[in-house]
Structures are given as structure tokens and as C-alpha cells.
Amino acid sequence: MTTIKRIVLASRPLAEPTHENFRLEDAELRESAEGDVTVRVLYLSLDPYMRGRMSDAKSYAAPVPVNGIMEGETICEVVKSRHNGFAPGDIVRGRTGWCTGAVISGDLLRKVETHGAPVTTAIGVLGMPGFTAWSGLKFIGKPKQGETVAVAAASGPVGSMVGQLAKLYGARAVGIAGGSDKCAFVKGELGFDSVVDHRSENFVSDLKAASPNGIDVYFENVGGRVWDAVLPLLNQFGRVPVCGLVSQYNGANSSQADRLPATMSVILRQSLLVRGFIQTEFAADHFNDFLAEIGPRVARGEIRYREDVVDGLENAPDAFIGMLKGKNFGKLIVKIDGVVS
């Protein structure tokens, strides 16, 4: 048996997660069985959906149990394989959780394919975040030539891909981001047509000015006051892929007004399509298509991305807590020097 380090859910947060909700501990790897693969973890992806897994409220996936390992996708190196599809040295991705090593069924792993881009892109622009943007836009948003596509959290891994894809599909891209540095990145590096700072006192009027012909597709990542500003600008037959509501993940503010009546009224009047989705709905049939279309573009630099890399598993809780407050800049990744012998 080999000792690894892992981070477990010590308790369920009542609002914003705190360090007391996490516990770093040693654990022993089980013996591998036929079909298993032993891996050492190289990189851990941190994503907003993990906040939902810390809660036991009804959701699309089972919650992390108290004292259970935190949920998360990782890039790993195969150390030992009892599965025909993998050999030592293979680089793979899978859902090992927040840990330095694991024994996992080979059926739950996939070899990393990046078309020559850095390996970390397999959990970012060429992984779940990138595929979320691609599938939500392709199958729900369906932007047409000349339409306006708006997206919140535009400097993040999902939003940055949404805007760049919108441009490739011939639409106009309007980004919403927080702070001057992120806005400059969205406009200058990613090539959005316009960007609006949601922290500005003039956010509502700025968004209206940036969308003179209204908004045809709004890719929802945030909710809250950003949704309030977008709602009046949605054009007839607009489409709203609902990917996330990060402003509400730490608990809704009871003092906020009820948005449902106003939202339903605009949905009715404007004949809007509002469709929530989880990227796994499309992955089985379309992930390979996504890689084939987007992988070469990333490798050639036609699609840009930014990563925010933190060193050490022990720093994952602090990075995760900061991410929910918008402190990260780009795809948040934890570099882990996993050792499995």
C-alpha cells in the first residue's frame, strides 16, 4: 500500500466556504484489481460547480459526503496498469478528486489529446470548460451571422471560449467581466467586439451602449444583477443557454427582490428560449467532434486562453474560496507533485 495526500469535505458550508470545511489528510491506496489503473496526479482542475457538490441540496449529481474526498477532474500519469488500454507513462484525465494519487478503473479514464497544445489544456480550453462553451453555444445558443452574443465571466475558461466561438461563427461578441485587467484581456487578447465591467457604477448603461442592436444569445454563467441588466436587452427569439449561476452558489441574499415575475414576463413577450444544461448531456456523442474542431485552433493560437496555476494540493482550498469571489484570472489549476510508488 502507498500513502497519498487528499483533501476531504470536513463539513458542509452554510454560506461561503471556509478553510474549516476542508481537511488535508493522509490515506492509503487500495490494492489495484483487474481493470484498474494506478496514477499519480499532476494537475487538478478547480471549477465553480464544486461548490454545489459541497451541499446536500437536491441537484443533478450526488453530493460529496462529509469526510469524503472532494470532487474534481485531474490530469495524471499512469504508474501501474491492469487495464489493456493504458500503460505506465501514459498521460490521462479522470475524476480522481483532490489528491496526489489514486487507483481508478481504467474505464473512467481518457488519454489526453491536445493536438500539440500544453497538457493542461485538457482540463481547460480543450476539456470540460471549453466543451461546455462549445456545446452550449452550438446546440442551444446557435448564433447566426451578424447576431450579438453576450457572455458573463468573459475572462474565465467558459466565457472566453464562448466569445471567441461567437466571432468564428460570424456573430458579434460582448463580454462582461470584473475589473480593468480582465476587461483589457477580453478586448485586447481575446478579440471581443466590446467588453463591459460589471463592477462599474455605469454597468447597466454601459451594457446597453455595448449592445446597440440588443442581445440575441446570452450565455449565462453568473445570474444576479448581471442577469437583471441583460434581461431588458434580449431580442425576440433570443436564446439563453444557462450554464452556471456563480453569484448564487454561496447562498442567495434574502434581501434581493424576486426576479421570477419579471423574467417570466420577458420570456413570454420576447418568445425566448431559456435552456439549462450540463455538458455531460452532449459529451458522449460530441466530445470527439469538439476536439477535432477546436484542438488544432488552440494549437495554432487561433483560440486564446489563460491559465491561473497554483502550486501544491494544500493550497487548493484557498484557491477555490478565492475563485468563488472572482479572484482568479483564467482557468484555475492546481499543480500537484503526486508521488505513487
Side-chain angles (χ1 to χ4, degrees):
M1 300 291 286
T2 300
T3 300
I4 62 163
K5 291 192 179 296
R6 67 182 187 181
I7 292 178
V8 302
L9 180 64
S11 59
R12 299 200 185 280
L14 298 178
E16 293 183 3
T18 67
H19 290 89
E20 286 68 35
N21 299 130
F22 303 93
R23 184 173 68 250
L24 176 66
E25 63 181 26
D26 293 332
E28 298 295 326
L29 285 183
R30 64 175 174 84
E31 294 289 347
S32 61
E34 196 63 34
D36 282 342
V37 176
T38 304
V39 299
R40 70 182 187 98
V41 177
L42 305 176
Y43 298 97
L44 164 67
S45 175
L46 293 182
D47 301 283
Y49 79 85
M50 295 170 176
R51 174 61 183 86
R53 302 291 177 87
M54 298 176 76
S55 168
D56 59 3
K58 183 178 179 180
S59 185
Y60 61 89
V64 174
V66 174
N67 297 318
I69 187 170
M70 280 292 296
E71 159 78 15
E73 188 174 36
T74 55
I75 295 173
C76 310
E77 180 184 358
V78 174
V79 175
K80 174 183 174 183
S81 177
R82 300 184 66 183
H83 188 285
N84 291 335
F86 302 96
D90 285 347
I91 305 299
V92 298
R93 63 179 180 87
R95 310 197 76 81
T96 67
W98 296 22
C99 60
T100 59
V103 174
I104 184 172
S105 169
D107 293 340
L108 302 177
L109 297 173
R110 181 183 178 116
K111 289 183 181 179
V112 166
E113 305 170 58
T114 64
H115 293 267
V119 67
T120 49
T121 59
I123 49 175
V125 66
L126 294 179
M128 181 272 289
F131 181 71
T132 298
W134 182 87
S135 58
L137 206 58
K138 193 175 190 72
F139 300 115
I140 303 171
K142 300 180 180 178
K144 301 180 181 69
Q145 184 87 20
E147 288 190 326
T148 296
V149 175
V151 60
S155 68
V158 176
S160 61
M161 175 69 92
V162 167
Q164 291 180 89
L165 288 176
K167 294 288 290 179
L168 287 174
Y169 298 156
R172 184 171 179 275
V174 176
I176 301 167
S180 58
D181 289 345
K182 291 182 179 180
C183 287
F185 171 72
V186 170
K187 186 73 163 60
E189 184 75 12
L190 301 181
F192 282 48
D193 294 284
S194 295
V195 62
V196 180
D197 189 344
H198 68 75
R199 297 177 182 173
S200 168
E201 294 180 357
N202 302 316
F203 168 57
V204 173
S205 58
D206 288 346
L207 182 61
K208 186 174 181 179
S211 313
N213 298 317
I215 295 171
D216 300 289
V217 179
Y218 173 57
F219 200 103
E220 176 64 286
N221 291 318
V222 173
R225 62 185 294 269
V226 174
W227 170 250
D228 291 343
V230 169
L231 185 61
L233 302 177
L234 291 169
N235 290 330
Q236 190 175 31
F237 305 119
R239 290 82 70 199
V240 183
V242 181
C243 165
L245 298 166
V246 70
S247 71
Q248 301 174 31
Y249 287 170
N250 286 330
N253 186 337
S254 60
S255 67
Q256 291 177 342
D258 182 0
R259 294 181 173 87
L260 184 59
T263 296
M264 294 299 290
S265 177
V266 176
I267 290 173
L268 173 62
R269 294 198 316 268
Q270 297 293 81
S271 299
L272 302 179
L273 170 67
V274 180
R275 160 75 149 89
F277 76 104
I278 309 300
Q279 55 86 25
T280 51
E281 300 169 28
F282 305 108
D285 294 330
H286 299 289
F287 192 83
N288 288 336
D289 297 334
F290 158 72
L291 278 183
E293 178 186 335
I294 302 302
R297 291 183 181 274
V298 172
R300 292 194 299 263
E302 295 172 11
I303 290 180
R304 313 287 288 180
Y305 65 94
R306 179 175 176 133
E307 296 175 339
D308 190 338
V309 180
V310 174
D311 282 320
L313 179 66
E314 68 279 5
N315 294 315
D318 188 58
F320 178 72
I321 291 168
M323 176 187 66
L324 295 177
K325 298 177 181 179
K327 292 184 177 180
N328 63 299
F329 193 166
K331 175 70 191 82
L332 186 57
I333 297 171
V334 180
K335 185 177 184 296
I336 296 173
D337 185 18
V339 177
V340 178
S341 58

